[in-house]
Amino acid sequence: MKNALKTILILCSLFITSISFAQNEMISLEKLINKTDPAWPIVKSWIDSAKNKIDVLPVDSAKADTALYESQLNTYSTLGSVIYNTGGILVDNGWIRILGSGSERLNRTVAEWNKDKTTKNFGDKPPYLLIADDAVGGFFAINLGGLGKDIKNVYYLEPNTLTWQPLGAGYGEFLLFCFDSDLSKFYKGLRWEKWDQFIANLDGNKVYTFRPYLWEPATNIDKCSRKLVPIEEMYKFNIEKSEELKNAAVIKKEEIKE
């Protein structure tokens, strides 16, 4: 365990120093590929010893080259290594979808998914970087200044509150959380009875939406109706509703003061 924690700290340090979001000037693919000390062997060892069910989606080398270049991350970092060596990673039969370079079941790359959401052009520096999501419309992102002071830590946009919650972990620790933690505890109240029967063949570009909405008071997910919607639609709706709820809370707070 001590060795694993030491490895995480090293990788977090590497991630901070190696992540590069150049504006206007793109780093070449050749410079992004680290052939002497890539992070993938370490990530692969975590996957091989994972407690949860992990599916590494097949990688297409040409797509991986493009995805790595567009992300402007190098393979010395954990995130860069996942992009370059996987088409994505599915956790718990696809409950959590960790983005890579795209595959048939998870046809989104990190850079493509962030474009027009957190960035305008490839290579831009975003306020946060979307790196994973789940079957109930929760989104994971690396904070790059837009979510809090803890730069490089992962946040979770909770579908039951629509607020960004800090996980107190960098990307490497986030992977270990996905691979080894008791996800039933993390997702308490967000998994309905027999949820696993609906997830195994779920399209990675679809998520479940619920009525009543999960953020409404006293909502019981087992009593909600649900349907599948495109994840693009869900992200846009959740972000807009999150801002609406935040603004409403501010107004209410001001009214109480008066």
Side-chain angles (χ1 to χ4, degrees):
M1 184 65 181
K2 290 183 178 180
N3 290 334
L5 291 174
K6 182 178 180 181
T7 300
I8 293 169
L9 292 174
I10 293 172
L11 285 174
C12 288
S13 176
L14 293 177
F15 182 82
I16 292 172
T17 57
S18 62
I19 189 170
S20 174
F21 293 97
Q23 290 180 299
N24 302 320
E25 185 177 348
M26 301 283 276
I27 300 171
S28 69
L29 177 64
E30 291 73 19
K31 290 183 179 180
L32 295 174
I33 298 173
N34 187 307
K35 296 180 179 179
T36 59
D37 195 19
W40 179 246
I42 296 174
V43 176
K44 182 64 166 56
S45 71
W46 294 347
I47 293 171
D48 292 341
S49 61
K51 296 177 182 177
N52 297 324
K53 189 177 187 304
I54 307 298
D55 295 308
V56 178
L57 298 175
V59 62
D60 178 292
S61 59
K63 289 181 179 179
D65 285 347
T66 300
L68 189 70
Y69 176 71
E70 291 176 346
S71 73
Q72 287 293 280
L73 290 160
N74 66 51
T75 58
Y76 194 51
S77 71
T78 46
L79 178 52
S81 73
V82 168
I83 292 171
Y84 194 62
N85 291 278
T86 80
I89 301 174
L90 303 181
V91 182
D92 260 10
N93 290 314
W95 179 271
I96 296 177
R97 296 82 69 94
I98 300 171
L99 300 181
S101 56
S103 65
E104 184 177 356
R105 190 171 173 191
L106 185 57
N107 191 24
R108 292 179 285 137
T109 73
V110 172
E112 288 173 344
W113 178 237
N114 279 272
K115 195 171 186 295
D116 298 324
K117 295 179 184 66
T118 66
T119 62
K120 290 184 177 180
N121 302 296
F122 296 132
D124 286 350
K125 182 178 178 180
Y128 57 87
L129 188 71
L130 298 163
I131 45 96
D133 40 70
D134 58 41
V136 286
F139 295 89
F140 296 94
I142 297 172
N143 173 33
L144 296 173
L147 299 177
K149 296 181 179 180
D150 51 346
I151 305 297
K152 303 301 189 298
N153 275 358
V154 176
Y155 276 63
Y156 179 59
L157 182 61
E158 295 180 328
N160 54 334
T161 65
L162 291 188
T163 58
W164 286 104
Q165 296 296 324
L167 299 186
Y171 184 76
E173 293 166 298
F174 166 70
L175 291 180
L176 284 174
F177 156 77
C178 291
F179 298 162
D180 296 328
S181 69
D182 184 351
L183 295 176
S184 62
K185 289 184 178 180
F186 182 80
Y187 283 105
K188 185 177 180 180
L190 291 175
R191 283 179 166 177
W192 62 99
E193 187 178 358
K194 298 181 180 179
W195 63 269
D196 52 319
Q197 296 180 14
F198 295 83
I199 300 302
N201 297 309
L202 182 62
D203 184 332
N205 292 321
K206 297 284 185 69
V207 294
Y208 282 100
T209 184
F210 302 86
R211 296 294 186 280
Y213 292 115
L214 296 180
W215 65 80
E216 295 186 73
T219 297
N220 183 337
I221 197 168
D222 283 307
K223 296 181 179 180
C224 292
S225 64
R226 59 182 178 273
K227 69 174 183 178
L228 286 172
V229 297
I231 193 166
E232 189 89 31
E233 178 183 316
M234 177 66 87
Y235 176 77
K236 182 179 179 181
F237 179 79
N238 280 4
I239 290 297
E240 290 178 353
K241 192 65 181 180
S242 175
E243 286 298 315
E244 181 183 320
L245 292 174
K246 184 167 63 175
N247 292 336
V250 170
I251 293 173
K252 186 175 181 179
K253 187 175 181 179
E254 291 299 320
E255 290 176 345
I256 292 173
K257 285 182 179 180
E258 293 176 0

